[in-house]
Amino acid sequence: MAQDDSPRSDKASASSEEAKGPGRAPMSSEYWLDIASAILLSVAALASSWAGYQSKRWSGVQSSSYNASATLWVQSFRAATFAYLYRSVDLELFIEWLNAYEDGDKKRAIFFEQRFRPEFRPAFEAWLASRPWENAAAPSSPFVLPEYRPELSDRAIELEQDAEAASDRARAANEQGDEYVLTTVVFSAALFFTGIAAHFSKFRVRVALLSIAGLMVLVGLLQLATYPVK
């Protein structure tokens, strides 16, 4: 009878083990490390892709800003050149008028005065109003008066300022793109440490490597949170 009971007890024990099922065993620490590795890999990969995308976007801003700056510099030089030429014309006409006036040739003086440019005439009239022949404190010429404001000279200064502003935007975009590239390197390092952690069998080594990777991912995410988005 004892021999008959032994097989039955073994079968009952096997049946109870099968009833528990293989999936009901408690989850090990290795399992949670695998979950942590998968999360770190996913976050680092997505964040790295986003940082790379933003770096490309800021590179585009840099290129367009440098192109705009170059165009504005050309326009500024052109405006300054024409302003210099117009100033030379004003100076030549004024000298001819002054020579004719001092010679007493009113007809020739009127001839040159009628050919003054509109931008020069307000300064010329203000200079005459100061009575330069009687007043020793009068301005030396119309060109030193605030009324003489050639439009192209002002335009050249505005274009120069716009060109410098575009250059500043390009430099800022370049620096921002470099920061995104640096963040991409941080996420790549996190991917590296997460990847090699799976090749170590010792639990403590895996935990240490995953901790380093997690810290890098956290630092990278904090950096991304402070960066402007384009």
Side-chain angles (χ1 to χ4, degrees):
M1 295 297 293
Q3 294 179 352
D4 295 335
D5 291 337
S6 179
R8 291 179 182 177
S9 62
D10 293 340
K11 290 181 180 180
S13 177
S15 299
S16 62
E17 291 295 333
E18 292 177 358
K20 291 181 180 179
R24 298 190 179 184
M27 295 181 181
S28 64
S29 300
E30 297 291 335
Y31 173 82
W32 290 112
L33 285 181
D34 292 337
I35 294 296
S37 299
I39 294 174
L40 288 176
L41 286 173
S42 301
V43 174
L46 291 175
S48 179
S49 299
W50 171 254
Y53 169 73
Q54 284 296 312
S55 176
K56 290 292 184 181
R57 294 278 294 177
W58 284 103
S59 296
V61 173
Q62 175 189 354
S63 299
S64 61
S65 297
Y66 273 133
N67 292 335
S69 177
T71 302
L72 289 170
W73 276 117
V74 171
Q75 294 176 353
S76 175
F77 291 149
R78 183 180 301 172
T81 300
F82 277 102
Y84 174 78
L85 293 176
Y86 288 152
R87 184 183 179 89
S88 299
V89 171
D90 295 336
L91 180 61
E92 290 294 333
L93 290 175
F94 175 70
I95 291 175
E96 292 295 335
W97 174 89
L98 189 61
N99 291 333
Y101 184 86
E102 290 180 349
D103 293 341
D105 192 345
K106 294 183 178 180
K107 184 177 180 180
R108 189 159 62 95
I110 293 174
F111 173 82
F112 288 112
E113 183 178 348
Q114 290 175 343
R115 283 154 180 78
F116 286 160
R117 292 189 319 113
E119 291 180 341
F120 175 71
R121 188 169 297 278
F124 175 74
E125 294 175 354
W127 180 72
L128 286 181
S130 67
R131 297 180 303 168
W133 282 274
E134 296 87 9
N135 183 12
S140 58
S141 71
F143 299 96
V144 299
L145 294 175
E147 286 81 2
Y148 186 66
R149 293 291 300 274
E151 181 179 354
L152 283 178
S153 295
D154 295 340
R155 180 59 178 164
I157 294 175
E158 292 177 359
L159 290 171
E160 181 179 352
Q161 293 174 348
D162 293 340
E164 291 177 352
S167 296
D168 292 339
R169 289 194 299 271
R171 286 190 291 269
N174 180 42
E175 293 176 358
Q176 187 59 63
D178 291 342
E179 290 179 354
Y180 270 110
V181 171
L182 179 60
T183 306
T184 304
V185 174
V186 172
F187 286 122
S188 298
L191 289 171
F192 170 76
F193 282 107
T194 304
I196 65 172
H199 296 280
F200 289 89
S201 58
K202 290 187 178 181
F203 180 79
R204 292 182 179 179
V205 175
R206 292 189 63 186
V207 170
L209 292 174
L210 291 178
S211 298
I212 295 174
L215 180 61
M216 288 183 172
V217 169
L218 180 60
V219 171
L221 291 177
L222 290 176
Q223 289 178 341
L224 289 182
T226 61
Y227 291 163
V229 177
K230 199 65 181 176

